[in-house]
Amino acid sequence: MMIGNMASKRISVALVFAMVLSIFSTNYIAFGAEAASSSVSFTDIEKSYAKDEVTALVEKGILGGYGDGSFKPSNSITRAELAKVLVLALGKEQDASSAASFKDVDSKSWYSGYVGALVKSGITQGISADQFAPNKTVTREELAVFFVRAFGLEQAALAVPLDEKLTDISTVSTWAKSYVSFAYQIGFIKGVAHADGTTRFNPSGVADRQALARLAYEFVFNKTTYELAAASLGATATPAPSAAPTPTNPPKSSDSSSGGNNGGSNGGNNGGSTSTSINTAGEHTLGAVTGDVRIYAANVTLKNTTITGNLFLETSIGNGDVTLQNVTVSGSTTINGGGPNSIHVQNSTLATVIVDKQDGSIRLVLENGTDVQQVTIRSGAIIETQPGVGQVGNINISSNVPHNAQVSLNGVFNSVSVYAEQAAITLGENGSIGQMNVFASALNTVFHLEQGSNVANAVLDAIVSFLGQGSITDAVVNADGVDFSSLPSQPNLQADPAVSSIIAEPAQGFELSAIGATRQIVATGVKYTANAKDITTHSNWTSSDASVAEVVYGKVKAVGEGTTYITATYGLYNVQVPVTVAVYEQGYPTISAVQVTNGTVDVSFDQQVDDVNLSDFAISATVNGAAYELSGLQYADGKITFNPVQSYGSTLYVHVEANEAKTKFAGSQSGSVKLTGFGGTIIDVARNPVANLTIEFRKGLGATSGPVVGTAVTDANGRYYIYLAPGIYTGELGGVGTPYVTTYMTAVSAVNVNNQNENQTAIGIPSENETRIVLTWGKDPADLDSHLIGPAVQGGIFHTWYGSKIYNYNNSKMVDLDLDDVTSYGPETTTIRKDTNGTYTFYVHHFSGASTISASGAKIEVYRGSSPTPIKVYEVPTDKGNELYWTVFTMTITDGQVTFTDVNTFSNTSPASGLNFVDNNRPSDEQEQVEEQEPQPEQEPQPEQQPEQQPDPQTAP
């Protein structure tokens, strides 16, 4: 992303998507009879959180101040004042004539031209046919609506499902709800985080001038960032049907949104224009094309062509090559096909490029004067820029990228935005990135910086890690746990420019009474806004005399007697705390360690101490930079317990020391815990809650071995909750000593979201004469389906699948699909309740979602009888293509004896195709017709019908 002038580089690095507070304040800009200030020297913005944004927008001529030299950042704004800012931000011409229909807009008023320009642009039509209400103050929800329309994303906002993370979304006016939710999802508004872990928006609150300045700044200087965020939601294009037939599926009744999407996206809507197809290899010159162009053949060179619609490189290209020479595409260029030897773009101009090949084996090379406004990556890919390339805009690595997908960037890139979770991103040898923004959704993504590569500026809002021999020059770290340790050198950590001073707790100093004793100093950055920022782990810490005490991330450790000064430095600010070490008595018992969780402190001593009780301790805590009084304190058997602290996303620091009398021991120790975690419900296949089941969690995706970092036990309702540091975890449940087979679940602990729906199904151990087939997989594709074909008792064959889950005979259940999981991971379980001699075939179908079966991490475990250990395990081969069906095995049952034949074949033809089945005495060829039929085109989402008393969505603001 190209950054505007002034010191906006600093602003964009530190503020775009990294704002701890809402991007809204509580109130916004007045510009009617203001004096346009030519110099940025307002008398009252020094303490405004939007000082830099105001400065930048005044320099650009979009904002102004008052004649007395003030800006009045906390004053409310009117609709007329907002109209002026939007028109100037959009670069529109004034048009007073278009406001003539409004009786309350005087044609001679200063704002009539601005109001008319908004009407002409379609952003508003007033509050009624003849009223604009220019002097009415603007609310926060109205502001969101105006800006979404200014982005041109109104239809996208109406189409994207509501995000319920804003806990007061129900209080947003009906006509504004979709806009507010959409603006929140793309990060344009943030909401306000509260101590109870919730995020709220306050939709009816009055917008103020400084808040408008912040949003207007983002709109003017960082517009592309939000457009790309919208694209990552799939909100920029309506899929058009492909001319090449592909196997499709009907929507499932249990998940009608699944549709028949087998991954990828054809993108774009040609609006009814014609579509030109290229079906043969060789050179093609099309000249000027009105409408879309679709390339279906490999080894095509498209030359000297201008396309006013969209360009599609279809999946039928396979691993072949396509070259674009002197091609201009005004719409989007969607790449669903092409191989590792690549798609070459030479001397061409492309507005938006979307790379989305299911198996990730795609290389896109931009060379020889090519200009590309933006590139969105939705799968694994290699993106390469050659010397001589023109302007290349933001590279957006979307949240659609599958887990563990490989994305390689080779060459020089101005801007890269990363949303992908658990991806592997490589910056090639001697490559460079000017600005890299890593968003909160990019949890556990790993960056490999090869020899000679460099990232100039990085803003890191997620816990990620960096490997390799490359470097990062400057970084703003907004997430605890970012790992630079494997790089040859650490980046320069930049301070949040919104921080105006720092404070320490304790501020007055303290004494340590034993060598090795510790105490945590908590550093807090004070902002102009209400919410302070814990900068303890982001500050530089020093001790004036390390022989007295040393300090690491604010934790002071006594080394020898004396006095020292501990200094925390953050950006331009520092704070100093005096520390004295005075040993109480040599050889006296001391506290040697503490281990803190939310609700418990495990205390250890360096020698045996008897008859310890709570009164022997002095216990203090800090949350959000302020002293916090723990409640419900008790002590027994080396554990101090307290009521858990409800401040989701914060860090709880606990300090435990001997009381003033030190009658039984001396010394002190500090510990901390991030107040993050997750919870959910464990059910069985009958959807009943599973009580008293232990879940052991390990750090990492697919971590089925190694140290257990946390344990949870379900309650009577099957619910559990566990506090764990931000990251991805693998939970293990069932196994020996339980009535369930061993299964695994994936759960995410995030700073910004308290996940309460990390659910799992416990799979019961089969009874003595049963066989159970369990399918699990990763995040992508979202929906894999279990299919079992086998011998029917009455002759013929049965087929169990999501459309016909149970095979009965004489009212007795013979085979059933216990669970159809449509939201990643599984498990899906198919159980043969009663043996029938014959051969059974099990296969997996890629029903919907990105990526491929081969890249899904799918595993099939077969259990027989009452053993918790599988008798057969199959793991999906990783060297296959994007086929839709994986036939895994055949199993022959003969008088209770089971033999397996490994099949492991992949195809785009259903193994059930052409077969006739018996299912509850109904020929299942009817079912197969249902399964294989073409789905109906998705309907365009329609706005919710408004109540009569509500204003029309177009005219509400």
Side-chain angles (χ1 to χ4, degrees):
M1 175 172 56
M2 301 302 292
I3 308 298
N5 59 357
M6 82 163 249
S8 58
K9 167 178 149 181
R10 176 170 65 96
I11 299 171
S12 65
V13 169
L15 294 180
V16 179
F17 292 113
M19 305 167 190
V20 174
L21 275 169
S22 164
I23 203 165
F24 281 129
S25 173
T26 45
N27 284 329
Y28 255 69
I29 282 191
F31 311 97
E34 309 170 53
S37 175
S38 59
S39 61
V40 187
S41 56
F42 296 125
T43 59
D44 59 350
I45 66 169
E46 191 61 35
K47 293 186 177 181
S48 170
Y49 64 79
K51 172 186 174 182
D52 290 331
E53 289 93 330
V54 170
T55 301
L57 292 170
V58 170
E59 289 181 346
K60 201 169 180 65
I62 293 174
L63 299 188
Y66 292 90
D68 63 358
S70 67
F71 180 75
K72 296 180 174 55
S74 296
N75 277 17
S76 62
I77 58 168
T78 66
R79 289 164 55 82
E81 294 161 353
L82 176 59
K84 178 179 179 181
V85 175
L86 282 176
V87 169
L88 293 177
L90 287 163
K92 300 286 186 181
E93 295 291 331
Q94 295 187 55
D95 186 354
S97 62
S98 294
S101 62
F102 298 133
K103 295 179 180 179
D104 57 356
V105 177
D106 190 326
S107 62
K108 296 180 181 179
S109 65
W110 63 266
Y111 51 78
S112 62
Y114 298 114
V115 172
L118 282 195
V119 172
K120 185 176 181 180
S121 66
I123 292 175
T124 184
Q125 298 300 321
I127 63 172
S128 69
D130 59 359
Q131 298 287 319
F132 180 75
N135 296 316
K136 179 180 178 291
T137 57
V138 177
T139 65
R140 290 157 60 83
E141 66 181 11
E142 288 175 335
L143 200 60
V145 174
F146 268 113
F147 271 104
V148 169
R149 288 179 180 165
F151 273 113
L153 293 170
E154 179 173 15
Q155 293 305 312
L158 295 173
V160 172
L162 292 180
D163 190 321
E164 301 295 338
K165 293 186 183 71
L166 290 173
T167 54
D168 59 352
I169 190 71
S170 62
T171 68
V172 178
S173 299
T174 301
W175 53 264
K177 194 167 293 184
S178 292
Y179 300 86
V180 170
S181 172
F182 182 77
Y184 177 72
Q185 289 183 71
I186 66 172
F188 190 64
I189 63 174
K190 288 288 185 182
V192 178
H194 289 259
D196 60 1
T198 62
T199 301
R200 299 165 194 160
F201 177 65
N202 186 22
S204 60
V206 178
D208 64 16
R209 289 167 58 82
Q210 60 188 338
L212 177 57
R214 176 162 280 180
L215 290 186
Y217 176 89
E218 295 300 317
F219 181 82
V220 172
F221 290 97
N222 298 313
K223 184 178 180 183
T224 300
T225 299
Y226 301 102
E227 292 171 336
L228 291 173
S232 75
L233 297 175
T236 57
T238 302
S242 170
T246 56
T248 53
N249 312 283
K252 294 184 179 181
S253 59
S254 60
D255 182 24
S256 60
S257 64
S258 295
N261 175 18
N262 293 308
S265 170
N266 286 332
N269 184 348
N270 62 21
S273 61
T274 59
S275 179
T276 302
S277 298
I278 297 177
N279 299 297
T280 58
E283 288 192 3
H284 299 263
T285 300
L286 302 181
V289 178
T290 300
D292 296 345
V293 173
R294 297 177 181 273
I295 300 176
Y296 293 104
N299 304 317
V300 165
T301 298
L302 179 62
K303 303 177 64 175
N304 304 327
T305 297
T306 299
I307 302 169
T308 57
N310 305 308
L311 173 63
F312 300 95
L313 278 61
E314 301 285 5
T315 57
S316 55
I317 295 170
N319 287 329
D321 297 344
V322 171
T323 300
L324 306 180
Q325 294 180 357
N326 194 27
V327 173
T328 298
V329 182
S330 60
S332 62
T333 300
T334 301
I335 303 174
N336 295 141
N341 294 318
S342 66
I343 308 299
H344 287 268
V345 185
Q346 303 167 354
N347 196 32
S348 296
T349 301
L350 308 178
T352 300
V353 176
I354 300 170
V355 180
D356 191 0
K357 189 183 181 190
Q358 285 189 342
D359 63 6
S361 62
I362 181 73
R363 176 170 171 251
L364 171 64
V365 182
L366 307 175
E367 53 188 309
N368 297 346
T370 290
D371 292 335
V372 178
Q373 182 178 342
Q374 61 189 38
V375 178
T376 295
I377 301 171
R378 296 180 178 172
S379 66
I382 299 172
I383 309 298
E384 184 173 318
T385 62
Q386 296 280 358
V389 71
Q391 295 293 320
V392 178
N394 189 68
I395 307 296
N396 172 40
I397 303 177
S398 164
S399 59
N400 298 95
V401 172
H403 277 170
N404 300 320
Q406 304 283 329
V407 176
S408 296
L409 304 176
N410 300 326
V412 177
F413 303 90
N414 290 327
S415 173
V416 175
S417 299
V418 182
Y419 298 87
E421 177 185 86
Q422 191 79 23
I425 300 174
T426 297
L427 179 60
E429 188 171 344
N430 298 319
S432 67
I433 296 173
Q435 176 68 47
M436 183 168 73
N437 291 305
V438 179
F439 296 96
S441 60
L443 197 66
N444 279 24
T445 283
V446 176
F447 295 84
H448 191 282
L449 309 182
E450 293 190 353
Q451 182 72 42
S453 66
N454 174 257
V455 178
N457 296 287
V459 179
L460 307 173
D461 286 340
I463 300 175
V464 296
S465 57
F466 293 87
L467 308 172
Q469 296 301 305
S471 63
I472 302 172
T473 304
D474 296 312
V476 175
V477 179
N478 296 315
D480 294 340
V482 174
D483 186 3
F484 301 111
S485 61
S486 296
L487 294 179
S489 61
Q490 303 296 292
N492 299 317
L493 297 182
Q494 302 298 303
D496 183 342
V499 171
S500 58
S501 63
I502 64 174
I503 58 175
E505 172 63 35
Q508 304 305 316
F510 53 86
E511 182 178 287
L512 297 173
S513 60
I515 302 302
T518 66
R519 175 145 192 174
Q520 179 73 52
I521 302 175
V522 178
T524 302
V526 179
K527 296 186 174 185
Y528 298 123
T529 51
N531 286 6
K533 175 179 182 177
D534 186 343
I535 57 172
T536 304
T537 59
H538 304 151
S539 300
N540 293 314
W541 294 85
T542 58
S543 172
S544 64
D545 189 343
S547 67
V548 174
E550 57 191 21
V551 60
V552 177
Y553 290 133
K555 182 178 281 192
V556 182
K557 181 178 180 181
V559 176
E561 293 194 311
T563 297
T564 185
Y565 291 89
I566 304 299
T567 302
T569 302
Y570 185 78
L572 301 175
Y573 306 102
N574 63 70
V575 64
Q576 194 172 76
V577 178
V579 175
T580 298
V581 177
V583 177
Y584 177 72
E585 184 180 318
Q586 294 290 344
Y588 195 67
T590 62
I591 302 174
S592 58
V594 295
Q595 181 69 42
V596 178
T597 62
N598 192 16
T600 304
V601 182
D602 289 325
V603 184
S604 300
F605 300 94
D606 66 348
Q607 54 188 283
Q608 180 70 34
V609 181
D610 297 322
D611 300 324
V612 176
N613 56 57
L614 189 63
S615 64
D616 296 319
F617 297 95
I619 304 165
S620 58
T622 303
V623 178
N624 293 326
Y628 182 92
E629 185 174 350
L630 298 174
S631 62
L633 283 165
Q634 298 183 48
Y635 176 80
D637 300 324
K639 289 184 183 292
I640 298 171
T641 58
F642 56 91
N643 295 329
V645 178
Q646 305 301 319
S647 183
Y648 192 87
S650 304
T651 299
L652 169 65
Y653 300 92
V654 178
H655 179 66
V656 179
E657 63 180 316
N659 63 19
E660 189 173 357
K662 300 179 178 60
T663 55
K664 296 178 181 176
F665 52 85
S668 63
Q669 294 291 331
S670 289
S672 64
V673 60
K674 194 76 173 177
L675 300 180
T676 56
F678 50 85
T681 303
I682 307 300
I683 60 174
D684 60 23
V685 293
R687 301 194 176 276
N688 298 315
V690 176
N692 299 315
L693 184 65
T694 298
I695 313 170
E696 295 182 333
F697 289 98
R698 297 178 175 89
K699 186 69 179 291
L701 182 70
T704 58
S705 61
V708 173
V709 297
T711 300
V713 179
T714 59
D715 63 17
N717 297 312
R719 294 288 300 172
Y720 75 92
Y721 193 88
I722 187 169
Y723 285 94
L724 288 171
I728 298 179
Y729 294 86
T730 300
E732 179 179 339
L733 59 155
V736 177
T738 75
Y740 304 98
V741 303
T742 301
T743 54
Y744 297 93
M745 61 182 293
T746 300
V748 175
S749 174
V751 173
N752 56 335
V753 178
N754 188 1
N755 293 326
Q756 295 277 5
N757 292 298
E758 300 288 27
N759 307 323
Q760 180 66 331
T761 301
I763 308 299
I765 296 172
S767 64
E768 192 64 40
N769 297 314
E770 292 182 336
T771 303
R772 182 157 291 165
I773 305 167
V774 181
L775 165 66
T776 57
W777 67 98
K779 176 187 175 184
D780 309 288
D783 190 1
L784 294 183
D785 283 326
S786 302
H787 290 251
L788 183 65
I789 298 171
V793 179
Q794 67 270 44
I797 51 178
F798 72 86
H799 180 198
T800 56
W801 54 297
Y802 71 83
S804 182
K805 294 182 180 179
I806 300 174
Y807 161 52
N808 287 314
Y809 178 70
N810 283 346
N811 296 318
S812 178
K813 186 184 292 184
M814 304 297 293
V815 181
D816 64 296
L817 172 64
D818 298 329
L819 183 71
D820 173 29
D821 189 294
V822 299
T823 57
S824 303
Y825 302 112
E828 287 198 1
T829 63
T830 302
T831 304
I832 302 172
R833 304 286 178 178
K834 298 180 180 180
D835 286 353
T836 300
N837 286 345
T839 298
Y840 299 74
T841 299
F842 182 82
Y843 69 93
V844 176
H845 177 203
H846 179 325
F847 184 87
S848 69
S851 191
T852 63
I853 298 177
S854 184
S856 69
K859 178 191 288 187
I860 291 90
E861 295 174 305
V862 184
Y863 297 84
R864 177 79 173 172
S866 56
S867 171
T869 303
I871 61 172
K872 195 73 174 176
V873 177
Y874 293 90
E875 295 186 1
V876 66
T878 59
D879 58 347
K880 304 300 179 182
N882 58 359
E883 295 87 354
L884 298 179
Y885 297 94
W886 171 31
T887 303
V888 185
F889 64 84
T890 63
M891 177 179 68
T892 301
I893 298 178
T894 305
D895 298 330
Q897 299 300 309
V898 179
T899 58
F900 289 87
T901 300
D902 301 345
V903 179
N904 269 334
T905 60
F906 288 75
S907 172
N908 279 322
T909 302
S910 168
S913 180
L915 300 178
N916 290 321
F917 300 104
V918 172
D919 186 12
N920 290 335
N921 300 315
R922 178 170 65 86
S924 66
D925 54 347
E926 297 177 15
Q927 294 174 340
E928 292 309 305
Q929 291 170 8
V930 173
E931 182 183 8
E932 301 301 329
Q933 68 182 336
E934 293 288 334
Q936 296 300 312
E938 293 185 11
Q939 298 299 309
E940 183 70 19
Q942 297 299 315
E944 186 176 325
Q945 183 65 38
Q946 306 297 326
E948 291 185 5
Q949 67 270 25
Q950 291 287 348
D952 182 271
Q954 181 64 25
T955 61

